[in-house]
Amino acid sequence: MKADRIIKNAKVFTSDKNNPCATALAVKDGKFIYVGDEAGLSAYEGEVCDLGGGFVMPGILDSHVHVTMPVGFDYADIGKRIECNGKQDCLNIISDYIRENPGEKRYKFLMEKKFLNGEDIEKEDLDAICPDAELQIQEGEGHSIWVNSKILERHGITDNTPDPVPGLAFYVRKNGHITGNMFEGSTEVPIILDEMMKLTDDQIDASIKRWIDFSVNAGVCCVFDAGIPGDPEFHEKVYKRLCELDKEGKLPVYIDGSYVVTSYREAEKGLEELKRFRKEYNTEHLKVHTMKIFMDGTKKIHTAAMVTPYEDTHTLGSTAFSAEELAELLEKLNEENLDLHLHTVGERASRVVLDGVELVKKKLKDDFHVKVTCAHLEIQDDSDLKRFSELGVIANFTPYWHCENPALSYGLLGKERAEKQYRCKTLWDSGALVTWSSDNIAFIDFVTWSPYLGMEIGMTRKASEKTRVPNYEKSGIVCPPESERMSIEKMILGYTINGAKQLGIDDKKGSISVGKDADFLVFDKDLLSAEKEGFSYNKPREVYFSGKKLV
């Protein structure tokens, strides 16, 4: 049989449990037509490549990224980074900057809330130093923002503006009046990206191309795009460009897209919009069949939903849906053959999801087919760990985060809970489907987008001097429990076949198997025996998507 490409003398990790290892493969018309030992190549003829023992693995699937939001951040500019000592120092730094840079329409800054030392900023503080221009300070995690009155006026935000999700996405109030501080994406993202609808097609395309170039060189053949909260118009504007690029043959990376819903009251409209997206944004490399929900927020700003109260504030946080509301939505998604992906940082966020799935499965039994994925899963209650496997809920982790110094959460969670975070191996060993992701909201230099960084920290649970991350992140501290460290085999499986199963495309992608798309990577180094520390510097020598050599 004629083949377009024949590979031999290779060490092939296939991610196929029925044929886990091979030394040879053959490709024709963009598909694998043979995977096995070299003796089986006698039935094929064509161009032969001897890899000299080189390592081969499937193309990588990153199962939770943001493609559309970073396009906006490429042009929105997050602003000058502030590291201050309390509120007054922060205001002094901003005031000095404004004085030295007069005439700007909007002044933008980035600051982690911890630098305020427990104090807070209100719009009156910002109005006093910037009365004639707009002023915003985005919190470092990207989940909250402070703004002055000029921005509130432009967006029509008043004391009477309702909170999108009380306790989760809300406007901070004092004595009934808004303070200019707001939490979570449905409140802040429309402000941050409010000028992005003016971007030209060429500007959007240039940003997308940077991401495509990174993905191809890293060997990322497929991603799940987790969307933008609160800004569906810009999200769709980017999807329109992705479709056009695909039609022009300029989108080699497969994007499994989504439509974001931020609250129960948006669910009905969101379902109709998702159905429209599925129909309108349907090209070879862009498909949309998943609703995305921000079920809760983050630990640092106490919006992650907890079973046990936060140590410092004694609050619990809130979820966007109740279990009953989620079950109702899941039944409708099931009718439409659609899937659900949820941001779930806190233990109660994922519990509500599990409870909702349990309710709908009791009603629909074997007729329930929605793929439900909980992303991030920073902290889990012990009693919920086995329920993922029992209920068929997919667990998506961002392993780059698994080097977190637990001491940073002692004051939030208490020492015991802070040292029981990111229990990915426990879920894997319980039989749950576990997948990996990079979850970034800005392209910048793409360092933390690297799946090889995710693999390294998934194996070591620390960022050492050898890790390819910014120096300020190289603490060398191992994030407990050490028993949650993963093997390289499990890291690769989570980034390949498991990711394909999450997205429902495992019949086409995720493993080096006969009949599937010929997405594969060639490395000089054997990744199965490579040094764990410093693994983040790995990079494929050759990259093939659908049998076509791109690198």
Side-chain angles (χ1 to χ4, degrees):
M1 180 185 294
K2 181 70 174 176
D4 298 328
R5 189 177 302 275
I6 296 171
I7 302 288
K8 72 173 188 178
N9 194 13
K11 182 174 182 178
V12 184
F13 184 92
T14 66
S15 292
D16 181 351
K17 66 178 181 180
N18 296 316
N19 183 28
C21 301
T23 58
L25 58 87
V27 175
K28 183 176 177 62
D29 297 330
K31 306 286 185 181
F32 294 113
I33 58 172
Y34 174 76
V35 181
D37 58 22
E38 292 184 19
L41 290 177
S42 60
Y44 302 90
E45 59 180 37
E47 178 187 346
V48 179
C49 178
D50 186 328
L51 290 187
F55 182 80
V56 177
M57 65 170 281
I60 288 170
L61 288 88
D62 192 330
S63 311
H64 181 112
V65 304
H66 293 273
V67 177
T68 57
M69 191 186 306
V71 172
F73 278 119
D74 258 4
Y75 297 97
D77 177 24
I78 57 177
K80 175 182 172 61
R81 181 179 291 273
I82 294 175
E83 293 187 8
C84 57
N85 184 18
K87 171 181 171 178
Q88 191 56 54
D89 190 29
C90 171
L91 296 175
N92 290 341
I93 292 171
I94 293 173
S95 183
D96 290 344
Y97 180 89
I98 293 173
R99 185 176 60 256
E100 294 165 4
N101 298 272
E104 293 186 16
K105 179 181 177 182
R106 179 181 291 188
Y107 293 93
K108 300 176 182 180
F109 301 88
L110 180 71
M111 177 189 67
E112 291 197 25
K113 191 173 183 177
K114 66 181 181 181
F115 290 121
L116 293 178
N117 299 335
E119 299 178 286
D120 212 344
I121 292 173
E122 298 179 7
K123 65 181 187 296
E124 289 80 7
D125 301 315
L126 301 180
D127 292 344
I129 59 175
C130 188
D132 301 319
E134 297 177 353
L135 171 59
Q136 71 179 47
I137 310 171
Q138 185 179 336
E139 207 281 327
E141 269 193 318
H143 284 255
S144 64
I145 194 171
W146 296 266
V147 302
N148 69 349
S149 294
K150 287 285 187 182
I151 291 180
L152 294 172
E153 290 167 7
R154 173 135 79 106
H155 286 268
I157 300 170
T158 70
D159 292 343
N160 296 321
T161 302
D163 295 334
V165 185
L168 173 56
F170 60 95
Y171 303 98
V172 177
R173 301 171 196 268
K174 183 177 181 181
N175 300 322
H177 301 290
I178 55 172
T179 66
N181 186 198
M182 54 196 75
F183 283 69
E184 294 305 333
S186 55
T187 63
E188 61 160 351
V189 168
I191 291 173
I192 297 169
L193 301 183
D194 59 5
E195 296 286 338
M196 294 305 104
M197 290 300 289
K198 297 178 182 178
L199 291 180
T200 66
D201 291 348
D202 286 345
Q203 286 175 307
I204 293 173
D205 292 356
S207 186
I208 291 171
K209 185 179 184 303
R210 289 206 309 121
W211 171 75
I212 291 172
D213 289 346
F214 158 77
S215 298
V216 168
N217 281 282
V220 177
C221 66
C222 174
V223 300
F224 171 72
D225 171 44
I228 305 176
D231 200 345
E233 292 82 8
F234 183 68
H235 181 63
E236 184 166 9
K237 184 179 177 74
V238 178
Y239 273 19
K240 288 178 180 178
R241 293 310 308 153
L242 289 169
C243 281
E244 290 305 311
L245 290 171
D246 201 14
K247 291 172 185 176
E248 295 168 9
K250 298 177 181 177
L251 181 63
V253 182
Y254 183 93
I255 299 174
D256 201 82
S258 70
Y259 185 87
V260 175
V261 169
T262 58
S263 66
Y264 174 67
R265 70 171 180 270
E266 293 180 357
E268 185 174 349
K269 178 184 176 183
L271 180 57
E272 292 305 310
E273 285 293 272
L274 175 56
K275 289 159 61 178
R276 180 175 69 82
F277 268 50
R278 176 170 59 180
K279 181 179 179 180
E280 294 185 15
Y281 303 106
N282 181 15
T283 59
E284 181 182 2
H285 293 104
L286 176 63
K287 309 287 183 184
V288 184
H289 60 94
T290 303
M291 181 178 287
K292 163 70 185 299
I293 293 174
F294 283 83
M295 196 63 169
D296 69 343
T298 74
K299 295 178 309 197
K300 284 185 181 179
I301 59 174
H302 304 93
T303 52
M306 297 297 176
V307 172
T308 303
Y310 287 98
E311 287 285 307
D312 51 350
T313 62
H314 309 293
T315 57
L316 291 169
S318 297
T319 59
F321 285 68
S322 68
E324 292 75 18
E325 290 168 344
L326 199 64
E328 176 188 327
L329 174 61
L330 284 167
E331 188 169 355
K332 293 177 180 178
L333 291 171
N334 194 66
E335 291 172 1
E336 299 293 342
N337 196 29
L338 296 166
D339 295 324
L340 183 63
H341 189 107
L342 307 101
H343 168 114
T344 50
V345 167
E347 56 204 358
R348 187 157 59 92
S350 52
R351 173 177 288 183
V352 169
V353 176
L354 294 166
D355 289 346
V357 171
E358 187 170 26
L359 286 172
V360 74
K361 291 191 81 167
K362 283 181 180 178
K363 180 177 181 180
L364 300 182
K365 298 182 171 56
D366 291 342
D367 290 331
F368 180 70
H369 303 294
V370 178
K371 289 184 182 296
V372 179
T373 302
C374 285
H376 310 319
L377 300 171
E378 294 189 28
I379 181 166
Q380 298 298 293
D381 191 80
D382 292 349
S383 63
D384 291 325
L385 291 171
K386 291 183 178 180
R387 299 179 70 202
F388 284 83
S389 174
E390 293 168 352
L391 294 168
V393 174
I394 300 163
N396 178 269
F397 288 89
T398 306
Y400 161 54
W401 299 356
H402 298 187
C403 61
E404 178 183 321
N405 180 348
L408 297 176
S409 294
Y410 286 173
L412 296 169
L413 305 176
K415 189 172 186 296
E416 181 180 354
R417 278 200 298 164
E419 295 186 353
K420 291 171 63 176
Q421 296 185 82
Y422 308 111
R423 287 188 281 178
C424 47
K425 188 172 186 295
T426 295
L427 284 179
W428 187 297
D429 291 346
S430 75
L433 182 69
V434 175
T435 62
W436 310 122
S437 62
S438 60
D439 185 38
N440 283 274
I441 62 171
F443 292 150
I444 311 177
D445 59 8
F446 292 103
V447 168
T448 57
W449 286 72
S450 170
Y452 311 103
L453 172 62
M455 291 182 197
E456 174 177 339
I457 294 180
M459 291 187 287
T460 66
R461 293 179 74 88
K462 66 179 180 180
S464 73
E465 285 299 318
K466 296 181 180 179
T467 308
R468 187 171 182 250
V469 289
N471 286 331
Y472 62 81
E473 296 193 34
K474 296 180 179 182
S475 69
I477 296 172
V478 176
C479 179
E482 289 190 42
S483 59
E484 297 295 327
R485 288 171 166 171
M486 306 297 292
S487 67
I488 183 56
E489 291 84 0
K490 288 183 173 64
M491 294 308 303
I492 293 176
L493 290 171
Y495 270 118
T496 55
I497 187 60
N498 287 11
K501 289 178 179 178
Q502 174 190 311
L503 303 181
I505 55 174
D506 48 308
D507 60 330
K508 298 183 292 185
K509 295 186 178 292
S511 66
I512 298 176
S513 308
V514 171
K516 291 191 178 185
D517 293 346
D519 302 331
F520 64 99
L521 317 177
V522 179
F523 295 81
D524 290 324
K525 186 182 297 184
D526 179 358
L527 297 191
L528 300 184
S529 59
E531 180 72 27
K532 293 179 180 179
E533 292 189 30
F535 192 96
S536 46
Y537 282 92
N538 279 300
K539 184 179 179 181
R541 182 183 78 205
E542 298 174 16
V543 174
Y544 297 82
F545 291 173
S546 295
K548 182 180 179 181
K549 185 177 180 181
L550 299 184
V551 175

